[in-house]
Amino acid sequence: MPIVTVCASAPESRYDIHIGHGLLKACAPLFAPYRGRRAAIVADSNTAPLYSYALMEQLHRAGVESSVIVLPAGEATKCPEELARLYDAFLDFRLTRADLVIALGGGVVGDIAGYAACTYLRGVHFVQVPTTLLAQVDSSVGGKVAVNHPRGKNLLGAFYQPELVLIDCDTLQTLDERQVGAGLGEVIKYGCICDRALFERIETLGSRAALTPVLDEIIARCCALKAEYVRVDPHDHGVRMQLNFGHTLAHALENAMGYGTLLHGEAVTIGMVAAARWGEALGMTPEGTSSRIRAVLRAYGLMTDVPAGLSPDALAGAMALDKKAEGRTVRAVILTEIGACKGVPLTPAQLKAFL
Ligand code: GLY
């Protein structure tokens, strides 16, 4: 069973990501260090009925008393009101600083449970059990936790690394195809920005059916790549921004279409093709790269084009408001080839012209 170790600067931020099949039914030994503690499992209305019993059973075997808190599924849950509900539940369960919070779900659950774990009593132990492909290859690793503010996504957040990440690949069997696609977009993104061999492997496999039998290996590779970004730049001041390839347009699309219309991963795949075209127009990305990325995304049934009816002016305006904007320019991630990239400042006019 693959284990990837993350080492985010301080020694106390070193943790293992365990990746395998059937882990949720066999993870008691991994919780042995928490014997005698309490665990608040934060799940949502999708993951609680599917997985919480298995996890509670394992915790019981490990001598950890647990309780499940069920949040409504969906992005709207990542709000200050649900966060307050979590704090109340932790208090009702008499969670102390010796105890732990376990996030059992996708990115939304991981983000809000992590933010609650970071702030409750100035920080309690935190474990991630991601159950979507996107959370497994990206959001559960690296410590970004947050809730949304009515004025924007992830405006209230922190860096708070988990102590352990458990990835049970069997959870993907119950994930709908659209959610799997959103995660595959992030997998292809790693290939584009830093791992040409991964990109070519996915290109050669050529379909979801061919990729499924090797998905655990691919998840492990993505976790190792993410772990390296986090080791080098745990607080996102430099190279970690490469992970935002495709995100300049993606954030604008999500904003212009209304959050929740597109899944984040869907907006990212459209943004990746646009970013490759920006790079080609600037002469920084080899000609033909955007077509190659588009072809791979299409082979996996992923979105590649800006939905009809969206005005380039509105999108360029939304891109100018990007969190990564610097003065009049927006720092976009541009490929120098498949497997390598750098941040480049682009003006709103350039972004619009190349859409
Ligand atoms: N999801 C991007 C990052 O963790 O930096």
Side-chain angles (χ1 to χ4, degrees), residues 324-342:
K324 306 280 190 279
E326 297 163 0
R328 293 193 60 251
T329 59
V330 173
R331 186 162 283 275
V333 179
I334 298 295
L335 300 183
T336 49
E337 59 180 323
I338 296 276
C341 63
K342 62 179 181 186

Side-chain angles (χ1 to χ4, degrees), residues 247-260:
H247 284 57
T248 311
L249 178 59
H251 288 150
L253 283 170
E254 288 179 276
N255 182 296
M257 295 177 72
Y259 287 101

